[in-house]
Amino acid sequence: MATTRVVLKTFLKQLGQVLEASGGIPALHLCAEQKFDVIISDLNMKDMSGLSLLQRLNDQGVLEQTRFYLVSTDPLSPEDIAELKNIGLSGYVRKPFVKEDIIGIVRGEND
């Protein structure tokens, strides 16, 4: 299991149910089966980028009721973030992140 997923799951289990996907394609399958309040995705995944996942979920209408956050070690410019918000991005967290950042996302404090 990827280190980021382990850390996120540890933080998030304290707040309620956590489902995880091993990549973008499994995440698409999960989102087809049920609704989520929040999706936190790494920008860099093996099977598809977090940007591709964002676009596909937006195209499917999933992000109308779900907040979507990207985490990454790669910096995103304010212009990139603004453009991505036009297709459903709720926010971006740069690694390394702290527990409070992630908990704030789930509680809707970082919107």
Side-chain angles (χ1 to χ4, degrees):
M1 185 182 315
T3 303
T4 299
R5 285 198 350 251
V6 171
V7 172
L8 286 171
K9 188 173 183 176
T10 300
F11 291 168
L12 296 172
K13 282 196 306 188
Q14 301 167 17
L15 300 174
Q17 182 181 14
V18 176
L19 293 178
E20 64 181 294
S22 60
I25 293 172
L28 289 171
H29 292 296
L30 278 175
C31 290
E33 296 171 3
Q34 66 186 78
K35 295 182 180 183
F36 295 92
D37 295 323
V38 178
I39 296 170
I40 302 173
S41 173
D42 202 305
L43 180 62
N44 299 308
M45 297 182 284
K46 292 180 185 179
D47 60 350
M48 84 169 45
S49 72
L51 298 178
S52 295
L53 178 62
L54 171 68
Q55 183 66 60
R56 290 185 63 181
L57 291 174
N58 185 58
D59 291 346
Q60 295 171 4
V62 170
L63 302 182
E64 292 173 14
Q65 299 176 356
T66 302
R67 292 178 286 135
F68 186 100
Y69 289 84
L70 284 172
V71 296
S72 180
T73 54
D74 299 332
L76 291 178
S77 72
E79 295 81 16
D80 290 339
I81 294 170
E83 184 176 328
L84 293 171
K85 285 188 174 193
N86 288 330
I87 59 168
L89 182 71
S90 299
Y92 162 75
V93 179
R94 181 118 186 246
K95 295 182 206 175
F97 48 77
V98 295
K99 180 178 178 180
E100 291 75 19
D101 291 337
I102 303 306
I103 290 174
I105 285 172
V106 174
R107 291 185 175 156
E109 297 167 358
N110 295 352
D111 295 342

